[in-house]
Amino acid sequence: MSCPSDRPRPARYPARLEGDFPSQVSRWLWLVKWLLILPHVVVLTLLWIAFLAVSVVGWFAILCTARYPRALFDFQVGVLRWTWRVSFYSYSALGTDRYPPFRLADVADYPAHFDVEYPERLSRGLVLVKWWLLALPHYALVVVFTSGYGNWGGLIGLLVLFAAVAMLFTGQYPVGIFSLVMGLNRWVLRVMAYAALLTDAYPPFRLDPGAGEPVADARGTGKARGTDQSTGAPYQAPQDHRG
């Protein structure tokens, strides 16, 4: 009988979300982050208006050519990436005290990252139904998780509030809460990428907690990359080399 860790898992999802564990955080800064992120809120409001418009253009492009124009695709991913950095800094994670950059592109040394693999072809048929019909079960869960993404709402907001209180009294972010918060945010952003027509891969009904995405060993068996309980640093589970 194989152990649970030996059971094969699905391949890594094309939308990837990561965030470094906050080993050093301010006890008090989270109290004013709502004010500090206001410039980002203004810019992101404009970007999301553009995001919706580009989504319409992308919908027609996929329907006619089975491709998402690369420049438009990169813009859409950039808006989601920017949103995740601000969310990670603020009340969807409180994962860093480093102020988010005003950039669509990835910032290598920033502790939060999001990316989506560019698909060479997309289904013309799926584009008609995936963003409203196929994604409905996930939308129901996302509402429970967020109830207003980026704020104190939903399960994510409740967990982050617990973490904030813990940081206030101990100066430390609870590792278990961080791991769960990351998994829930990962689920939400996967659904957002799917609904935005950036991938045809249906989001799994699976919570992948931890700082980083699950990784596969040489046999293709999924190994969860989570968070080291002693240091809070991301780790990769050792590979199983048995024949």
Side-chain angles (χ1 to χ4, degrees):
M1 181 181 296
S2 61
C3 297
S5 60
D6 294 328
R7 294 173 185 168
R9 295 179 63 185
R12 187 173 66 174
Y13 193 71
R16 302 184 298 274
L17 178 146
E18 297 188 343
D20 296 342
F21 181 81
S23 56
Q24 294 183 339
V25 287
S26 167
R27 293 173 184 260
W28 306 99
L29 187 60
W30 63 270
L31 293 171
V32 296
K33 282 184 175 181
W34 63 272
L35 178 62
L36 299 179
I37 64 171
L38 286 180
H40 279 285
V41 171
V42 173
V43 177
L44 280 173
T45 299
L46 299 176
L47 286 174
W48 272 94
I49 293 173
F51 184 96
L52 295 176
V54 170
S55 295
V56 175
V57 177
W59 186 90
F60 281 105
I62 297 168
L63 189 62
C64 296
T65 69
R67 293 174 61 89
Y68 207 122
R70 186 58 189 260
L72 300 183
F73 179 92
D74 289 343
F75 173 80
Q76 301 293 77
V77 174
V79 174
L80 293 176
R81 181 182 293 126
W82 192 327
T83 300
W84 166 236
R85 284 196 297 247
V86 175
S87 299
F88 188 74
Y89 171 80
S90 59
Y91 303 109
S92 287
L94 293 179
T96 182
D97 289 340
R98 180 178 168 186
Y99 198 69
F102 288 81
R103 290 185 61 184
L104 292 171
D106 186 57
V107 178
D109 63 345
Y110 194 76
H113 304 276
F114 180 76
D115 198 15
V116 183
E117 296 174 7
Y118 180 71
E120 292 300 328
R121 293 188 63 83
L122 291 165
S123 168
R124 291 186 175 97
L126 281 178
V127 77
L128 298 172
V129 295
K130 66 182 182 181
W131 59 275
W132 66 275
L133 179 61
L134 300 183
L136 280 178
H138 278 289
Y139 290 157
L141 291 171
V142 166
V143 169
V144 175
F145 295 163
T146 63
S147 298
Y149 192 64
N151 300 309
W152 289 104
L155 179 57
I156 292 175
L158 183 62
L159 290 169
V160 173
L161 179 60
F162 289 157
V165 173
M167 288 188 290
L168 184 63
F169 287 99
T170 69
Q172 299 293 323
Y173 201 121
V175 174
I177 291 181
F178 177 78
S179 180
L180 183 55
V181 164
M182 286 296 297
L184 293 170
N185 278 292
R186 184 168 290 120
W187 194 318
V188 172
L189 266 294
R190 286 173 177 173
V191 174
M192 292 173 70
Y194 180 76
L197 313 178
L198 302 178
T199 180
D200 281 344
Y202 195 70
F205 286 91
R206 182 180 80 234
L207 184 65
D208 289 322
E213 292 281 345
V215 295
D217 63 16
R219 300 183 307 166
T221 302
K223 299 291 185 180
R225 187 175 71 179
T227 306
D228 189 315
Q229 297 293 321
S230 60
T231 65
Y235 75 95
Q236 178 176 337
Q239 297 179 4
D240 185 349
H241 297 290
R242 294 178 297 174

Short mmCIF file of all heavy atoms in Angstrom, two decimals, residues 66-107:
data_model
loop_
_atom_site.label_atom_id
_atom_site.label_comp_id
_atom_site.label_asym_id
_atom_site.label_seq_id
_atom_site.Cartn_x
_atom_site.Cartn_y
_atom_site.Cartn_z
N ALA A 66 -8.44 31.44 -32.17
CA ALA A 66 -8.03 30.44 -31.18
C ALA A 66 -6.74 30.83 -30.47
O ALA A 66 -6.03 29.98 -29.94
CB ALA A 66 -7.89 29.05 -31.81
N ARG A 67 -6.45 32.11 -30.47
CA ARG A 67 -5.25 32.60 -29.79
C ARG A 67 -5.59 33.88 -29.02
O ARG A 67 -6.44 34.66 -29.45
CB ARG A 67 -4.11 32.90 -30.77
CG ARG A 67 -3.55 31.68 -31.47
CD ARG A 67 -2.53 32.08 -32.52
NE ARG A 67 -1.40 32.80 -31.93
CZ ARG A 67 -0.31 32.20 -31.47
NH1 ARG A 67 -0.19 30.88 -31.54
NH2 ARG A 67 0.68 32.89 -30.95
N TYR A 68 -4.88 34.07 -27.92
CA TYR A 68 -4.99 35.34 -27.18
C TYR A 68 -3.79 36.18 -27.60
O TYR A 68 -2.65 35.77 -27.39
CB TYR A 68 -4.93 35.07 -25.67
CG TYR A 68 -5.66 36.11 -24.83
CD1 TYR A 68 -6.68 35.73 -23.97
CD2 TYR A 68 -5.32 37.46 -24.90
CE1 TYR A 68 -7.37 36.67 -23.20
CE2 TYR A 68 -5.99 38.40 -24.14
CZ TYR A 68 -7.01 38.00 -23.29
OH TYR A 68 -7.68 38.93 -22.53
N PRO A 69 -3.99 37.34 -28.22
CA PRO A 69 -2.85 38.16 -28.64
C PRO A 69 -1.87 38.38 -27.48
O PRO A 69 -2.29 38.76 -26.39
CB PRO A 69 -3.51 39.47 -29.08
CG PRO A 69 -4.90 39.07 -29.48
CD PRO A 69 -5.29 37.95 -28.56
N ARG A 70 -0.59 38.12 -27.74
CA ARG A 70 0.38 38.07 -26.66
C ARG A 70 0.47 39.38 -25.87
O ARG A 70 0.56 39.36 -24.64
CB ARG A 70 1.76 37.70 -27.22
CG ARG A 70 2.84 37.48 -26.14
CD ARG A 70 2.40 36.37 -25.20
NE ARG A 70 3.25 36.23 -24.05
CZ ARG A 70 4.21 35.30 -23.93
NH1 ARG A 70 4.45 34.46 -24.94
NH2 ARG A 70 4.93 35.21 -22.84
N ALA A 71 0.44 40.50 -26.55
CA ALA A 71 0.54 41.78 -25.84
C ALA A 71 -0.64 41.98 -24.91
O ALA A 71 -0.48 42.45 -23.77
CB ALA A 71 0.63 42.93 -26.85
N LEU A 72 -1.83 41.61 -25.37
CA LEU A 72 -3.02 41.73 -24.52
C LEU A 72 -2.96 40.73 -23.36
O LEU A 72 -3.34 41.06 -22.23
CB LEU A 72 -4.28 41.51 -25.35
CG LEU A 72 -4.52 42.47 -26.52
CD1 LEU A 72 -5.85 42.18 -27.20
CD2 LEU A 72 -4.46 43.93 -26.05
N PHE A 73 -2.50 39.52 -23.65
CA PHE A 73 -2.35 38.51 -22.61
C PHE A 73 -1.40 38.99 -21.52
O PHE A 73 -1.70 38.87 -20.31
CB PHE A 73 -1.83 37.21 -23.25
CG PHE A 73 -1.60 36.10 -22.28
CD1 PHE A 73 -2.61 35.17 -22.01
CD2 PHE A 73 -0.37 35.93 -21.63
CE1 PHE A 73 -2.41 34.12 -21.13
CE2 PHE A 73 -0.17 34.89 -20.74
CZ PHE A 73 -1.18 33.99 -20.49
N ASP A 74 -0.27 39.54 -21.91
CA ASP A 74 0.71 40.02 -20.93
C ASP A 74 0.15 41.16 -20.09
O ASP A 74 0.44 41.26 -18.89
CB ASP A 74 1.99 40.48 -21.64
CG ASP A 74 2.79 39.32 -22.22
OD1 ASP A 74 2.55 38.16 -21.80
OD2 ASP A 74 3.65 39.57 -23.08
N PHE A 75 -0.66 42.02 -20.71
CA PHE A 75 -1.29 43.10 -19.93
C PHE A 75 -2.23 42.53 -18.89
O PHE A 75 -2.22 42.96 -17.72
CB PHE A 75 -2.04 44.04 -20.86
CG PHE A 75 -2.85 45.08 -20.13
CD1 PHE A 75 -2.24 46.21 -19.61
CD2 PHE A 75 -4.22 44.91 -19.92
CE1 PHE A 75 -2.97 47.17 -18.91
CE2 PHE A 75 -4.96 45.86 -19.24
CZ PHE A 75 -4.33 47.00 -18.73
N GLN A 76 -3.06 41.56 -19.28
CA GLN A 76 -4.02 40.96 -18.35
C GLN A 76 -3.30 40.29 -17.18
O GLN A 76 -3.69 40.45 -16.01
CB GLN A 76 -4.90 39.95 -19.08
CG GLN A 76 -5.71 40.50 -20.23
CD GLN A 76 -6.79 41.47 -19.83
OE1 GLN A 76 -6.50 42.63 -19.52
NE2 GLN A 76 -8.02 41.02 -19.82
N VAL A 77 -2.26 39.53 -17.49
CA VAL A 77 -1.49 38.89 -16.43
C VAL A 77 -0.85 39.95 -15.53
O VAL A 77 -0.79 39.81 -14.30
CB VAL A 77 -0.41 37.96 -17.01
CG1 VAL A 77 0.50 37.42 -15.91
CG2 VAL A 77 -1.06 36.80 -17.77
N GLY A 78 -0.39 41.03 -16.12
CA GLY A 78 0.22 42.11 -15.35
C GLY A 78 -0.75 42.74 -14.36
O GLY A 78 -0.37 43.06 -13.23
N VAL A 79 -2.00 42.92 -14.78
CA VAL A 79 -3.00 43.49 -13.86
C VAL A 79 -3.26 42.53 -12.70
O VAL A 79 -3.34 42.96 -11.54
CB VAL A 79 -4.31 43.79 -14.62
CG1 VAL A 79 -5.39 44.24 -13.64
CG2 VAL A 79 -4.08 44.87 -15.67
N LEU A 80 -3.38 41.24 -12.99
CA LEU A 80 -3.56 40.27 -11.92
C LEU A 80 -2.34 40.22 -11.01
O LEU A 80 -2.46 40.10 -9.79
CB LEU A 80 -3.83 38.88 -12.51
CG LEU A 80 -5.15 38.70 -13.25
CD1 LEU A 80 -5.24 37.32 -13.87
CD2 LEU A 80 -6.34 38.94 -12.31
N ARG A 81 -1.15 40.33 -11.60
CA ARG A 81 0.09 40.32 -10.81
C ARG A 81 0.14 41.53 -9.87
O ARG A 81 0.49 41.42 -8.69
CB ARG A 81 1.28 40.33 -11.77
CG ARG A 81 2.64 40.29 -11.08
CD ARG A 81 3.74 40.34 -12.11
NE ARG A 81 3.77 39.13 -12.92
CZ ARG A 81 3.71 39.13 -14.25
NH1 ARG A 81 3.59 40.27 -14.92
NH2 ARG A 81 3.77 37.99 -14.91
N TRP A 82 -0.18 42.69 -10.41
CA TRP A 82 -0.19 43.92 -9.61
C TRP A 82 -1.21 43.79 -8.48
O TRP A 82 -0.94 44.14 -7.33
CB TRP A 82 -0.53 45.10 -10.51
CG TRP A 82 -0.31 46.47 -9.93
CD1 TRP A 82 -0.46 46.86 -8.63
CD2 TRP A 82 0.08 47.63 -10.67
NE1 TRP A 82 -0.20 48.19 -8.50
CE2 TRP A 82 0.14 48.70 -9.73
CE3 TRP A 82 0.36 47.89 -11.99
CZ2 TRP A 82 0.49 50.00 -10.12
CZ3 TRP A 82 0.70 49.18 -12.37
CH2 TRP A 82 0.77 50.22 -11.44
N THR A 83 -2.39 43.26 -8.82
CA THR A 83 -3.44 43.06 -7.81
C THR A 83 -2.95 42.14 -6.70
O THR A 83 -3.19 42.40 -5.52
CB THR A 83 -4.70 42.49 -8.47
OG1 THR A 83 -5.16 43.40 -9.47
CG2 THR A 83 -5.80 42.26 -7.45
N TRP A 84 -2.27 41.06 -7.07
CA TRP A 84 -1.79 40.12 -6.06
C TRP A 84 -0.72 40.75 -5.17
O TRP A 84 -0.72 40.56 -3.97
CB TRP A 84 -1.24 38.86 -6.74
CG TRP A 84 -0.43 37.99 -5.82
CD1 TRP A 84 0.84 37.56 -6.00
CD2 TRP A 84 -0.85 37.44 -4.55
NE1 TRP A 84 1.26 36.79 -4.94
CE2 TRP A 84 0.24 36.70 -4.04
CE3 TRP A 84 -2.03 37.52 -3.82
CZ2 TRP A 84 0.17 36.03 -2.81
CZ3 TRP A 84 -2.09 36.86 -2.59
CH2 TRP A 84 -1.01 36.14 -2.10
N ARG A 85 0.18 41.55 -5.75
CA ARG A 85 1.21 42.19 -4.91
C ARG A 85 0.57 43.11 -3.88
O ARG A 85 0.96 43.11 -2.71
CB ARG A 85 2.19 42.98 -5.80
CG ARG A 85 3.20 42.13 -6.54
CD ARG A 85 4.35 42.97 -7.05
NE ARG A 85 3.94 43.96 -8.02
CZ ARG A 85 4.28 43.94 -9.30
NH1 ARG A 85 5.02 42.95 -9.79
NH2 ARG A 85 3.88 44.90 -10.11
N VAL A 86 -0.42 43.90 -4.30
CA VAL A 86 -1.10 44.80 -3.36
C VAL A 86 -1.89 43.99 -2.34
O VAL A 86 -1.91 44.33 -1.14
CB VAL A 86 -2.01 45.77 -4.13
CG1 VAL A 86 -2.82 46.63 -3.15
CG2 VAL A 86 -1.18 46.67 -5.05
N SER A 87 -2.52 42.91 -2.78
CA SER A 87 -3.27 42.07 -1.85
C SER A 87 -2.35 41.39 -0.85
O SER A 87 -2.70 41.26 0.34
CB SER A 87 -4.05 41.00 -2.64
OG SER A 87 -4.97 41.60 -3.53
N PHE A 88 -1.19 40.95 -1.31
CA PHE A 88 -0.22 40.30 -0.42
C PHE A 88 0.30 41.29 0.62
O PHE A 88 0.49 40.94 1.79
CB PHE A 88 0.94 39.76 -1.26
CG PHE A 88 1.92 38.91 -0.48
CD1 PHE A 88 1.60 37.62 -0.09
CD2 PHE A 88 3.18 39.41 -0.15
CE1 PHE A 88 2.51 36.84 0.62
CE2 PHE A 88 4.09 38.63 0.55
CZ PHE A 88 3.75 37.35 0.94
N TYR A 89 0.51 42.53 0.20
CA TYR A 89 0.97 43.57 1.13
C TYR A 89 -0.13 43.96 2.12
O TYR A 89 0.15 44.22 3.30
CB TYR A 89 1.39 44.80 0.31
CG TYR A 89 1.68 46.04 1.13
CD1 TYR A 89 2.91 46.20 1.78
CD2 TYR A 89 0.75 47.07 1.22
CE1 TYR A 89 3.18 47.35 2.50
CE2 TYR A 89 1.02 48.22 1.95
CZ TYR A 89 2.23 48.35 2.59
OH TYR A 89 2.50 49.49 3.32
N SER A 90 -1.38 43.94 1.66
CA SER A 90 -2.47 44.46 2.48
C SER A 90 -3.29 43.32 3.07
O SER A 90 -2.74 42.34 3.56
CB SER A 90 -3.32 45.44 1.66
OG SER A 90 -3.86 44.81 0.51
N TYR A 91 -4.58 43.43 3.00
CA TYR A 91 -5.43 42.62 3.88
C TYR A 91 -5.91 41.30 3.31
O TYR A 91 -6.81 40.67 3.87
CB TYR A 91 -6.61 43.48 4.33
CG TYR A 91 -6.15 44.74 5.02
CD1 TYR A 91 -6.28 45.98 4.41
CD2 TYR A 91 -5.50 44.68 6.26
CE1 TYR A 91 -5.82 47.13 5.03
CE2 TYR A 91 -5.04 45.81 6.89
CZ TYR A 91 -5.20 47.04 6.27
OH TYR A 91 -4.73 48.18 6.88
N SER A 92 -5.30 40.85 2.21
CA SER A 92 -5.55 39.48 1.77
C SER A 92 -4.44 38.55 2.21
O SER A 92 -4.52 37.34 1.97
CB SER A 92 -5.69 39.42 0.24
OG SER A 92 -6.92 39.97 -0.15
N ALA A 93 -3.40 39.10 2.85
CA ALA A 93 -2.32 38.25 3.35
C ALA A 93 -1.51 38.92 4.46
O ALA A 93 -1.08 38.25 5.39
CB ALA A 93 -1.38 37.85 2.20
N LEU A 94 -1.27 40.24 4.36
CA LEU A 94 -0.34 40.92 5.26
C LEU A 94 1.02 40.20 5.26
O LEU A 94 1.66 40.03 6.28
CB LEU A 94 -0.89 41.00 6.69
CG LEU A 94 -2.13 41.88 6.91
CD1 LEU A 94 -2.57 41.82 8.37
CD2 LEU A 94 -1.85 43.32 6.49
N GLY A 95 1.44 39.80 4.04
CA GLY A 95 2.62 38.96 3.92
C GLY A 95 3.94 39.69 3.85
O GLY A 95 4.99 39.05 3.88
N THR A 96 3.90 41.02 3.74
CA THR A 96 5.15 41.77 3.68
C THR A 96 4.89 43.21 4.11
O THR A 96 3.76 43.71 3.99
CB THR A 96 5.73 41.76 2.25
OG1 THR A 96 6.98 42.46 2.23
CG2 THR A 96 4.79 42.42 1.26
N ASP A 97 5.94 43.85 4.60
CA ASP A 97 5.87 45.27 4.91
C ASP A 97 6.54 46.10 3.81
O ASP A 97 6.59 47.34 3.92
CB ASP A 97 6.56 45.56 6.25
CG ASP A 97 5.76 45.03 7.43
OD1 ASP A 97 4.55 44.82 7.27
OD2 ASP A 97 6.36 44.83 8.50
N ARG A 98 7.04 45.45 2.80
CA ARG A 98 7.68 46.17 1.68
C ARG A 98 6.61 46.68 0.74
O ARG A 98 5.77 45.93 0.26
CB ARG A 98 8.64 45.24 0.94
CG ARG A 98 9.34 45.91 -0.23
CD ARG A 98 10.31 44.97 -0.89
NE ARG A 98 10.76 45.50 -2.17
CZ ARG A 98 11.53 44.85 -3.02
NH1 ARG A 98 11.92 43.61 -2.72
NH2 ARG A 98 11.88 45.40 -4.17
N TYR A 99 6.64 47.98 0.46
CA TYR A 99 5.59 48.61 -0.34
C TYR A 99 5.61 48.06 -1.77
O TYR A 99 6.67 47.91 -2.37
CB TYR A 99 5.78 50.12 -0.37
CG TYR A 99 4.55 50.88 -0.79
CD1 TYR A 99 3.44 50.93 0.04
CD2 TYR A 99 4.50 51.54 -2.01
CE1 TYR A 99 2.30 51.63 -0.33
CE2 TYR A 99 3.37 52.24 -2.40
CZ TYR A 99 2.27 52.28 -1.55
OH TYR A 99 1.14 52.96 -1.93
N PRO A 100 4.42 47.75 -2.33
CA PRO A 100 4.37 47.17 -3.68
C PRO A 100 4.83 48.17 -4.74
O PRO A 100 4.51 49.36 -4.67
CB PRO A 100 2.89 46.83 -3.86
CG PRO A 100 2.28 46.88 -2.51
CD PRO A 100 3.09 47.85 -1.72
N PRO A 101 5.56 47.68 -5.74
CA PRO A 101 5.95 48.56 -6.85
C PRO A 101 4.78 48.83 -7.78
O PRO A 101 3.86 48.01 -7.90
CB PRO A 101 7.05 47.75 -7.56
CG PRO A 101 6.71 46.32 -7.25
CD PRO A 101 6.11 46.32 -5.87
N PHE A 102 4.83 49.96 -8.46
CA PHE A 102 3.81 50.32 -9.45
C PHE A 102 4.26 49.77 -10.80
O PHE A 102 4.70 50.51 -11.68
CB PHE A 102 3.64 51.83 -9.51
CG PHE A 102 2.93 52.42 -8.32
CD1 PHE A 102 3.63 52.67 -7.14
CD2 PHE A 102 1.58 52.74 -8.37
CE1 PHE A 102 2.99 53.21 -6.04
CE2 PHE A 102 0.94 53.28 -7.27
CZ PHE A 102 1.64 53.52 -6.10
N ARG A 103 4.11 48.46 -10.98
CA ARG A 103 4.58 47.83 -12.22
C ARG A 103 3.68 46.65 -12.59
O ARG A 103 3.21 45.91 -11.72
CB ARG A 103 6.02 47.31 -12.06
CG ARG A 103 7.07 48.39 -11.96
CD ARG A 103 8.46 47.78 -11.93
NE ARG A 103 8.73 47.03 -13.15
CZ ARG A 103 9.84 46.32 -13.35
NH1 ARG A 103 10.77 46.26 -12.41
NH2 ARG A 103 10.02 45.68 -14.49
N LEU A 104 3.49 46.50 -13.90
CA LEU A 104 2.78 45.32 -14.40
C LEU A 104 3.71 44.10 -14.47
O LEU A 104 3.27 42.97 -14.27
CB LEU A 104 2.20 45.59 -15.79
CG LEU A 104 1.06 46.61 -15.88
CD1 LEU A 104 0.77 46.92 -17.34
CD2 LEU A 104 -0.19 46.09 -15.19
N ALA A 105 4.98 44.35 -14.75
CA ALA A 105 5.94 43.26 -14.90
C ALA A 105 6.29 42.67 -13.55
O ALA A 105 6.12 43.31 -12.49
CB ALA A 105 7.20 43.77 -15.60
N ASP A 106 6.80 41.46 -13.58
CA ASP A 106 7.25 40.81 -12.36
C ASP A 106 8.48 41.53 -11.82
O ASP A 106 9.31 42.03 -12.58
CB ASP A 106 7.60 39.34 -12.64
CG ASP A 106 7.94 38.59 -11.37
OD1 ASP A 106 7.10 38.56 -10.45
OD2 ASP A 106 9.04 38.03 -11.29
N VAL A 107 8.58 41.60 -10.51
CA VAL A 107 9.73 42.19 -9.83
C VAL A 107 10.42 41.06 -9.08
O VAL A 107 9.88 40.53 -8.10
CB VAL A 107 9.31 43.32 -8.88
CG1 VAL A 107 10.54 43.89 -8.15
CG2 VAL A 107 8.59 44.42 -9.64
#
